[in-house]
Each structure stands twice: as structure tokens, then as C-alpha cells.
Amino acid sequence: MLLTPIGAVLAISFVVYNILKVRGYSEGTNEVKAISAKIRRGANAFIKRQYTVVAWFFAVMLVVLCAMSFFGFLTWFVPFAFITGGFFSGLSGFVGMKVATMANSRTATASQSSLNKGLRVAFSAGSVMGFTVVGLGLLDLAVWYYLLHYVFKLGIADVTAAMLTFGMGASCMALFARVGGGVFTKAADVGADLVGKVEAGIPEDDPRNPAVIADNVGDNVGDVAGMGADLYESYVGSIVASCALGVAAFPQFNNTPGNPAVTIPMAMAGIGVIVTIIGSFLIRTKENATQKALLAALRRGTNFSSIAIAIAAFPLVWFMLGQEHIGIYGAILSGLVAGVGISFFTEYYTSDNYKPTRELADSTKTGSATLIIGGLSLGMLSTAIPLLLVCASILVSFFVSGGAGDAALGLYGIGISAVGMLSTLGLTLANDSYGPVADNAGGIAEMAKLDPEVRRRTDALDSLGNTTAAVGKGFAIGAGALTALALIAAYVDRIEALVADGLEKGLEWARNFDLNLSITSPTVLVGIFIGSMLPFLFTAMTMKSVGRAAQAIVVEVRRQFREITGLMEGKADADYEACVDLCTRSALREMILPTLLAIAAPIVSGLILGPNGVIGLLIGCTASGFMMAIMTANSGGAWDNAKKYIEAGNHGGKGSDSHKAAVVGDTVGDPLKDTCGPSIDILLKLSSMVSIVFAGLVLAFHLF
Amino acid sequence: MLLTPIGAVLAISFVVYNILKVRGYSEGTNEVKAISAKIRRGANAFIKRQYTVVAWFFAVMLVVLCAMSFFGFLTWFVPFAFITGGFFSGLSGFVGMKVATMANSRTATASQSSLNKGLRVAFSAGSVMGFTVVGLGLLDLAVWYYLLHYVFKLGIADVTAAMLTFGMGASCMALFARVGGGVFTKAADVGADLVGKVEAGIPEDDPRNPAVIADNVGDNVGDVAGMGADLYESYVGSIVASCALGVAAFPQFNNTPGNPAVTIPMAMAGIGVIVTIIGSFLIRTKENATQKALLAALRRGTNFSSIAIAIAAFPLVWFMLGQEHIGIYGAILSGLVAGVGISFFTEYYTSDNYKPTRELADSTKTGSATLIIGGLSLGMLSTAIPLLLVCASILVSFFVSGGAGDAALGLYGIGISAVGMLSTLGLTLANDSYGPVADNAGGIAEMAKLDPEVRRRTDALDSLGNTTAAVGKGFAIGAGALTALALIAAYVDRIEALVADGLEKGLEWARNFDLNLSITSPTVLVGIFIGSMLPFLFTAMTMKSVGRAAQAIVVEVRRQFREITGLMEGKADADYEACVDLCTRSALREMILPTLLAIAAPIVSGLILGPNGVIGLLIGCTASGFMMAIMTANSGGAWDNAKKYIEAGNHGGKGSDSHKAAVVGDTVGDPLKDTCGPSIDILLKLSSMVSIVFAGLVLAFHLF
């Protein structure tokens, strides 16, 4: 159990080390500094206003949860666990964003020397993000665990129940951050492109474009802060769900302090920190490395970590649970293998090194319509293999863990397989989040009119980042689906525990309730239907949000081009703040409704259909959400890379008709891959967490 | 029970009456006749080749089914019921197509006199289609029922089991017809538009475009023949599923000949024929009627039929099942109400009289990318209300029929609600299928250079047809989902019956099998996941098929423009046959794989996951398929109508930048709404039917 606090301390130390390392690099010329400062100011202003809105939401939820505690539906720890989850999730995003806005100018400056040096700055900033998430997650878990179990002497079942709420706080924060940040970044991006590139014919990141600073701010608040909050939630979600399932699977340990079934997920995470820190030191190349060599270096780090985890997990399971449960080690392996498989196929479908994206680029020859048809079908087709991998992982984890004899063991195995997949998160996330830093650095290089070679280098980094980001997304979605299933299983356990408790107290609702999970029962069936619909509705809402916000930006940018004399000639400055402010207001307005949907849907459905219907809803939502998440991520990624492939000189290169068609595809894909897809991933888990927290209420009051 | 053969005879008489009526109209000038003959030849040639391929498939399936009968997995009636189902489904499509190709020239000629006269010809042709489907369906049902029950003296359970196979034959044929016809029509349409409208800048249906005849052939083989086969399948599928559920719900009747629970669905259908024939005589307007008045006339017919059915069903249920089961009447009503509700919201989302499509048309101002984003989100958003209506209908049907006390009664109620929805099919389908006739008439008017006023009139008919077609699609999808659920329930009954039978015979597999439908069991869960994926994979395949076939057409059309001198100047004729032939070959090649997927997926999954997994698969497939079907239909319909709205002179009208963007949207939407969406509807039911037929095999051999 000591591994968890050790991991937390190590991760946080590594974060401090990397922050100092980033600060040590030169910030560059005054012009670079000035542009970076503008971006930083915009990002800070957004985060401040966003977190204020979110704080109000948390205050309201605190009152609601306290009221529920007062009426006996929850323990009094729950409201506070909820708050700390939200706080740490928000803090993860905040730290990542701070460092990213510090590193962008330094990456641009370092790229003046070499590609490799640029990568090192950007990657250090990415590591801050990755290890902040991991470190804060483990810290919070460890503190609550010790506090509840050893100080308040709570039974292990109550400890894990309270810790699940902690996950709900993190999920709420994550959804706000993802949707808000996602709307901000894509509204700015799409808006800037539509007027700048398409109408005015000026290049990307041209300082004459009034939305250019907003676009760069967006990278930091959406792709960095949003992603940080998001993955914090996945990470702790998978761990707390497995802990809760461990309680049900190993009742024999429930009275021994330090229940090994509960500590294994946390210990795995602790080991994960150690091996990924080592792995990140393996990522180094020669000074004049090619892009391919850089990618190979990144892969070396992640491969090392995965293999090291696979080795270290064996003695962990063997000594803590004993030889008869070594099958659970098989579950960990199956999670790792599925994760690697999903990553590979994500890369296959979205990288322009492979056939699908090249064929997609070909389809631009007959215009944007065939490109859109091709991209949608590519995305839908690409769901098949990841889905089958997850299904295989479910079956393997369940049966090797002993699920045939005791279903609780099998479900614990599924939870543990998600933990296995996410144990290398620190490094995956570092790989994933240096991309936006490089993207920003490119913007700064363009605006500060640095040597074009600098832009070429940051573009190389950015494109490398695109591949690693797509792979990271595949990983996150796969782990998200498994985590969601683990949470659903934890929900079923929770319902059973509450009913048993209610029967003991002789309550009427407990006597009337019948846990009937048969798939042909109408409430379960209707639950599955409604659940399948939620990701569609949610995607529609977030897409519409981006569309609305982008249209507002288009209007504003056109106004500035029209009204500010000398802007197009470069003689007058654009009013960048107006665009940043507009994006901020749009994002804050648009993030409310989708989040409320995610919270309200399981509660309202529960009050009508009862817990059986909720379980159907959660499973339907996980199934169709997984598909939508993969489809949106891969369609978007493939369109983006098809455009990059054409820009690299194929099919006529930049400015050709094919390129114009490809820009349309990229614009359609942007909100899909960066706003909708990643948010669905949170939706799956948030709806499960909400159901768990409101289980007592729904059990006591429901229509069918 | 006499109502069924009476209905069949009435429907077929009405078909003959309408055929004679259509033949009575003048065919027009020699030029019109010549063009119509070309279209007819192309359509006949395609249908001949398509049915030959399908005949081979049916021959193979016959051997497979006979082999299964030989080994005792099926009764010997099954293979022959399968064949007749396929035969009648194919015949429905064939008759409809024949009349449509006869009516197109006559509609064009009649439109020279007035809009109203044009409508009457087209609507008579549509009625032939609608009542052929209904008449042949009832005929086949009645013949098999009498034959099996009274001649071969089979028990009622065996009768309904054999009749379900009859549905599988119809579904197979329907899927071939829908996918093959859908690929043909959209490849020709998209291909003709991409080169003709976009590249060469010539108008739609211009005789210089080599793909123009293929485009018009496509309307007949896809939108008419494909739809006929498709709805034949929905119609008989819902009836046979309800009959099978009636056997399980009312075991007390199973030894009385003419089991009322089994005859009610057939009797309802018979009554439906009578009221819809009356309803179709109510559709008449004044000679100088406006488009609005025409729509009102069409609505009068359907409204009358729905209300008449709602009234007639009451005594039927009361006298046949007795007062204590009058709740089943509530199920019929809930199906009708849900159907009307879905139709209304389909119209709301796709008609340019309402806000969503107008807003979509607005989004063309910022280009095709925002239009695509807007259309996709509109489609996703529009799934919510239809889904909730279906869910409400499920819950109401189940509980008012007495499902709380006896689940079998509730499931019978769900089946009956689908029958209620489909009982007015003759008329709905007539409304739905006169559109393609009008579309063809417009093409002929353009090619034969008739007075532009004629084209304006056929366009008005076509646009009216767009709205009624969208409404019909909503109806079909809603009824399809309920039918699929009824089939799934029938599958569960079948598994239980087979296991009981196996236990009686002391077979080992029966002793080892455990019907565990708990949603948290891993096989059910994996089944749900795989099922949810199938509609995505299927949509991807059919979209890709259209894309590939359209690209081949593009290449061919470009070749003809390049190589045939004088073509663009109108001095030389295009080689229309080459395009028709190319579409035919593409369509035949592309229809194989999706059909095999639909048949193989439930069998292969069943052999791995067992019947529990299959049930999960079928439910997952129904849930996500329903969403995809609604989304594709409504996105496509809204894009089409947004284009029409702009062509009517808004946002700059034809030729403006907005119009160019709208053409992209329409091109993307075409395969979605006319190939993918309607095929998914068949996929849902075919996979259930296949599962039922292969239930014995899967029970005896499965891995988990």
C-alpha cells in the first residue's frame, strides 16, 4: 500500500523537476515574449472565468449532496469527496495549462537551434501535464484511503463507496473542462480558418487574422487543460471502480486492514509511476535526428513502460492475492494487449503512412462530397476492430479471473484490466500533450516572423504529435469503456448493498424492489434504448455548440477586416482580445447544457424506470458511446492527416482543388475529434458515477 | 380469419384496377415514348441480372436449410417457406417497378394538362406498389396458414415457427433489393451530379449527360423495387412475429383451431386493406389545386385510415380475446400514436417549412463545412424524440397488455403495436412511392424538351413526394424497431421451446444450457457491444459501396465527354447503356458483402457466444440501428430540402455560393438517406430472423 504515496511523491517531484527544466530554457526575443504573453493572458482569463462558473456549479451540487446526506441517502463524507475530486481534476488542468503557456515561446526559440531541442522543451512540458495528473490522482486517493480507513475507521466497503464519489467530482470538472475548452478551441480554429484561409486567403497563424490569438489560446485551454482534467478522471475512475469491485470479489479480506484486492489497483498505479519515469528518460535522440527517429524514441519509452508493468504486475498479484488468483494477472495482460492493439489500429486508420488515409486523400479528386462520405465511412469502419478487441478483453478478463465460478471475481478482473491499460498514463499523456505546445510554438514562430525553418520544425513536431495524440485517444477510449463497465458493475453492487441494508431496516421500498436485469424486461430494454441515444444527443449538442460559436467568430472577424482600416495591409493591429472574449463567452454558455444532460439523464431515467432501467441505460450508453467516440476520433484524425498529406505535395499540394476539398474535411472533423469524441468518453463514466451517487434516491422513489 | 384472404383478394383487385387506370392514360409523343423505353429497358435488364444472382443465393440457402432439416435442426417446411417469402418479396418489387416504368411517361404527359392530373397518374402507380405489397403478403400468409394448420394439421406453435422462416426469405430478398438498388441509384445520381452539374456545368437530367438514363433507371430499381421488397418484409415480419408471440401469450387457445391470438394480427391487416382502399378514394382535389391542397388531400386519406383502424380494432380485440384482454387494444393505439408522432417529427426535422432545415440552409453562408456539421448534428439530434416515442410505446404496450403479471402478454402487446403501426401500409407506401415516378417524369420532360411548365409541375410533385417519403421512412423505422423487438421475443420463446424439447429427449446440450439474460453477464454484454457495432459497420460498407461505384461512373462520364466528339454541343448521342451497365455491375458486386455480413454476424457470434450472446447482439443492433437509421434518413432529408429551399430562390438561389455548398450536402446525404438508412432497417429484422432459423444449430454448438 505504501506504493501509492511513494508514487504520488515521485510523480510530483518529477513534475517539479520538469517545470524547472522548462523554465531554464530561453524565452527568446521580445516579440516572441510579447506574443506568448498575449496567449497566456487569454488562457488565464478564460480559465479564471470558467473555474468561477464551475465553482458555482460545485457549490450547488454540494448543497444537493449535503441535503441527500441529511436525509440519509449518502454518508457525510460523500459531499467532501466530491469536492476534492473536482478540485484536483481542475488543478491538473490548471498546472498543465500554466506550463504549456510557459513552454510555447521556449519551444519556438529552442526550435531555432534544432528539431531535437524543440522536442525536448515541448516534451518536458507534456511530462508536467502527464505526471501532474498521475501524481495528484494518487495523492488524493492515498489521503482519502488513509483518512477514511485508518482515521475514521470506516469499513472497506464504505471507504470505496465514498471514493467513488470522489470520481464523480472529477468527472463533472472534466466534462466542463472538455466541453468548454473544446468549444473554445474549435470555435476559434474553425472561425479563424473559415474567414482567414478560405475567404481572405491569408495563411494559418497570420498575425493579421483577428482570431489567431484565440486559436492559440484554445490549444492551451482545450487540448491541454481540458485533456488534463479528462484523463485525471479516467485515471482515478478506473482505480476507484476496481477498488469497489475488489470489495465485492474478495469478501474474505474485508475485515483485514489493507485489503489486498483494494490496494492492488492503487499499487499498480504506483508502480506505473516508477516505470514511466524511467521510461521517459529513455526518450532521447541524437541532435540531428529525423522525424522517424523521434517517433521511434517516443515508442521506446512507452514500450519499455508497458513491458515493465507487465513484468512487475506478476509478483504483485502472486504475493498479494495468492497463487489461486493469478488469473487476475491475465486480466491485466489482456488490458495491456487490447490497449496496444487499439493504438495500433487507430494509427492504421488515421496516419497517412497507411492505406485508409491515403485513399481518403485520393477521394478529394472528386471533391469535398466524396471526401466527407469517405471520411464518415472510414470512421464507422474503424470502430469494428477496437470494439472486438475490447470484447475479447472483457471475455478474457472475466473468465481468467474466475468469473465462471464467481461473477464478482470476473467483474473485478474487468476493472483491473482497465487499470492495467491506464497504468502507463503518465507517459502516454506526456506524448499526447506536447502536441498543442508545438502547435502553439508554430503559431508564435509565424507571428513573430522567425526563420521559416523554425515553422517547418514545429510543424514536424506537431504532425508527430498528431499521430501520438490519435494513439493516446484510442487508448483513452478503450480504457474508458472498460472503466465504465467496471463502474456499472460497482453500481449493481451498490444497489444490492442498499437493498440488503433496507431489508434489514424493514423499509418498504426494499421489500418491493426486485433486481431484474433480464435484457428482455421492458424497463431494461427501454433503458438500453435511451442509453444508446445519449451519445448521439450529446454529440449533436456539442457539435451545434461549436458551430454556433464558430459562426459568431466568423461574424466578428469579418467585422474587423471591414472596419479596421489597414488591417489587411499589416499596418494596423487586429483586436485580438475581442475574439478571445467572444470565444470565452460562447464556451462558458455552451458548456452548461451538455453537462446538465449527462447529470440529469441517469437521474430522471432512474426516477422513471428504476435501477434496472438505469443499468440498461448505462450499458446502452457505453456501447453506443464507444462507437461514437472511436468514429469521431478516427474520422477527424483521418481528415486532418489527409489534408496534411496533400499539403506535403500530393494531389497538387497546397492551393489545389484537392487541398480546398481537404480543408472542408478537416473543418468538419475538428469539432468531431477534439470536442465531441473526447467528451463522450467522460459522459460514459460521469453517468455511471452519478447513478452510483443517486442510487439511494432512485431506489426509494421510482415509477416502474 | 376470413378477413385475411378477403383482404388479399381486395388488395390484388385494387392493384389490377389501378394498373388498368394507369394504362388508360396517353403515353405521349414519340420522343417521350423512346426515352421511357430506354429507362424501362435499363430497369428490366438490371432486375433480370439482379434476380439471377439472388436466385443463386436462394439456391445455396435452400441446400443449407434442407441440410439443416435433414439433421433435425428444422422442420421440412422451413426451406420452402423461406423460398416463397423471397419469391413474393421479389415479385412485389418487380410489379411495382414494372408499373413505375409504365407510368413515368404517362405522368409527364398528364402533367402537360395539369398538376392534379399528373398527381393522379403517379399516385395510381404508387397505389399499385402499395397494394401489391399488402395483397401478396396477406395471400402468402393465408395460404401457408391454411396449408400448415388445416391440411398438414400442424400444431399452432409449429405453424408460426415455419411462418417466421417465410419472413427470413422476404428479408434476404429485401436486403439484396435495397442494397443493390440503393447502390445503383445513388452511384448514378452522385456520379451524374459530380461530373454533370459540378464539372461540366450542365443542368440536372440534361440529355448530354451520359449517366442521365442510369440515374432515372436507378429511381425505379432502387426507390421503387427496393422499397417494395423492403416494406413487404416489414409487413409480413411484424405479422408473423406477433402470431408467434400470440402462441406463447395465450397457451389456453393453442389446441383450438383458429387461435384468436394468432389470427388477430392477420385480421387487423385484412381490415387495414379495406379501410386504406376507402381512404385512397378520399384523395381527390379540384383541378386547379395548389401544392398545399394536394398535401392536405393526401393527409386526409391517411388520417381517415388511421382513425378507421383505431375504431375497428376495438371490437376485434373485444370479441376475439374477451373483455379481460382489452388492454391489447391499448397497445394497438400506442403503436398508431407513436407512428403518427414519429412521422410528425420527421417532417419537422426535414421539411423546409420548419426551423431546423431553414437554419441548415442558413449555415451554407459560411460554406459547405458548416453545412455538413449542421446536418450531422441535426440528424443526431432528431433521433431523440422518435426514440422516446418508441420507448413510451414499448412501456405502454407491455404494461396495458398485462405484461406486469405475465411477460408473454406484454411482449405480444409490443408485437401487436407494430402491426397497428403497419396496418395502413398500403396507403403509406402509395404516398411514398409516387415520388420516384414523378422524379422520372421530370427527367423525361427535361430530356424530351417538353414545355418548362411541365418540369415545374413534376418538380412540385417530386418535392411533395420528398416530404411524404420522409414521413414514410420515419414510420418504417419505428415499426421496424418494434418488429425487431417482437422477433427477439419470438427468438427467446423459440430457444425455450427447443431447450424444453431437448430436455425431454435427454440431449446433453439441453442439460448444459442455461438461459441467462442478465445484462451484466459477459456474453450478453459482449453481444450488446457487437450488436451495437453492426449498424456502424454496415453503414460504412454501404457508403463505401456507393462511393466506389460513383467514382467508376465519374470516370466513365468523363471518358465519354472526352472521347465522343460533339457530345457537349448536343450533336452526338451519349452511350447511355455503358453507364447503365456499369451501375448494374457495380450494384451486383457491392450488394453481396453487406448481405453476407447481416446473415453471418448472428450465426458466427452465436457459435461463439451462444444464444444468450445472440439475444444481446440483437438488442444492441436494434438500439444502435434505430439511431443510425433515423440519423441517416433525417440528415439526408434535411440536406436535400435545404438545397431545394435555396433553389427556390433563398440565400441567392441557384448558382450562388450557398447553392454550391448545398449541393455538397445533398451529395453526402444521398447515400445516407437512400442506401444506408433503409438497409439498416432490414438488417435489424434479418439478423433476428436468421437467429431464429439457426437457433437449433447455435444451441447445439457454441463456445461459451
Side-chain angles (χ1 to χ4, degrees), chain A residues 545-593:
Chain A
S545 294
V546 173
R548 260 195 303 265
Q551 281 188 327
I553 289 291
V554 166
V555 171
E556 170 63 20
V557 173
R558 282 187 186 153
R559 184 195 66 78
Q560 292 199 20
F561 275 137
R562 203 172 50 235
E563 295 181 4
I564 302 178
T565 44
L567 177 57
M568 273 305 274
E569 295 75 37
K571 286 178 197 152
D573 270 352
D575 181 2
Y576 302 119
E577 280 73 24
C579 287
V580 173
D581 187 60
L582 190 60
C583 282
T584 303
R585 275 185 289 127
S586 300
L588 296 183
R589 198 174 45 237
E590 302 287 352
M591 76 183 182
I592 306 287
L593 210 57

Side-chain angles (χ1 to χ4, degrees), chain A residues 320-331:
Chain A
M320 291 187 75
L321 292 176
Q323 197 180 339
E324 71 273 28
H325 291 298
I326 195 65
I328 285 175
Y329 174 68

Side-chain angles (χ1 to χ4, degrees), chain B residues 205-367:
Chain B
D205 290 322
D206 190 293
R208 288 172 291 176
N209 192 330
V212 70
I213 294 286
D215 187 6
N216 282 289
V217 169
D219 294 341
N220 293 296
V221 301
D223 299 348
V224 180
M227 184 167 59
D230 174 1
L231 283 165
Y232 179 86
E233 180 266 347
S234 293
Y235 189 68
V236 300
S238 70
I239 297 173
V240 296
S242 302
C243 293
L245 292 174
V247 173
F250 294 90
Q252 65 269 35
F253 292 140
N254 283 353
N255 295 318
T256 55
N259 179 339
V262 174
T263 47
I264 277 190
M266 294 198 256
M268 280 270 301
I271 295 177
V273 171
I274 301 169
V275 301
T276 46
I277 290 181
I278 301 174
S280 74
F281 282 109
L282 295 179
I283 299 176
R284 45 181 69 240
T285 54
K286 278 176 284 181
E287 199 47 44
N288 52 356
T290 61
Q291 199 179 341
K292 211 170 164 184
L294 289 179
L295 191 59
L298 290 176
R299 286 225 179 102
R300 200 159 52 234
T302 42
N303 288 346
F304 165 82
S305 312
S306 299
I307 293 168
I309 284 280
I311 294 169
F314 188 81
L316 193 74
V317 175
W318 184 282
F319 290 114
M320 290 187 74
L321 290 176
Q323 196 179 338
E324 71 273 28
H325 292 298
I326 195 63
I328 286 176
Y329 174 68
I332 297 175
L333 279 190
S334 85
L336 279 170
V337 170
V340 171
I342 292 175
S343 302
F344 172 74
F345 281 100
T346 310
E347 192 181 332
Y348 173 74
Y349 277 108
T350 58
S351 155
D352 60 14
N353 289 321
Y354 297 97
K355 209 176 118 195
T357 299
R358 294 214 170 170
E359 271 187 6
L360 189 64
D362 276 357
S363 73
T364 55
K365 283 190 237 164
T366 37

Side-chain angles (χ1 to χ4, degrees), chain B residues 619-703:
Chain B
I619 287 182
C621 183
T622 305
S624 99
F626 180 80
M627 240 63 70
M628 287 291 274
I630 299 253
M631 178 199 150
T632 50
N634 290 356
S635 290
W639 275 319
D640 192 348
N641 283 333
K643 189 192 71 170
K644 287 212 159 67
Y645 181 71
I646 290 173
E647 284 173 352
N650 301 291
H651 303 301
K654 273 195 183 181
S656 64
D657 279 347
S658 281
H659 185 241
K660 282 198 193 103
V663 169
V664 172
D666 184 35
T667 312
V668 173
D670 264 342
L672 283 177
K673 76 179 198 298
D674 291 327
T675 313
C676 310
S679 312
I680 293 173
D681 203 23
I682 307 172
L683 170 74
L684 306 186
K685 287 163 284 172
L686 179 56
S687 47
S688 313
M689 302 258 192
V690 169
S691 304
I692 292 173
V693 171
F694 287 82
L697 189 74
V698 162
L699 260 174
F701 307 101
H702 58 90
L703 188 62

Side-chain angles (χ1 to χ4, degrees), chain A residues 641-656:
Chain A
N641 283 332
K643 189 192 71 170
K644 288 216 158 66
Y645 181 70
I646 291 173
E647 284 174 353
N650 301 292
H651 303 301
K654 273 196 181 178
S656 64

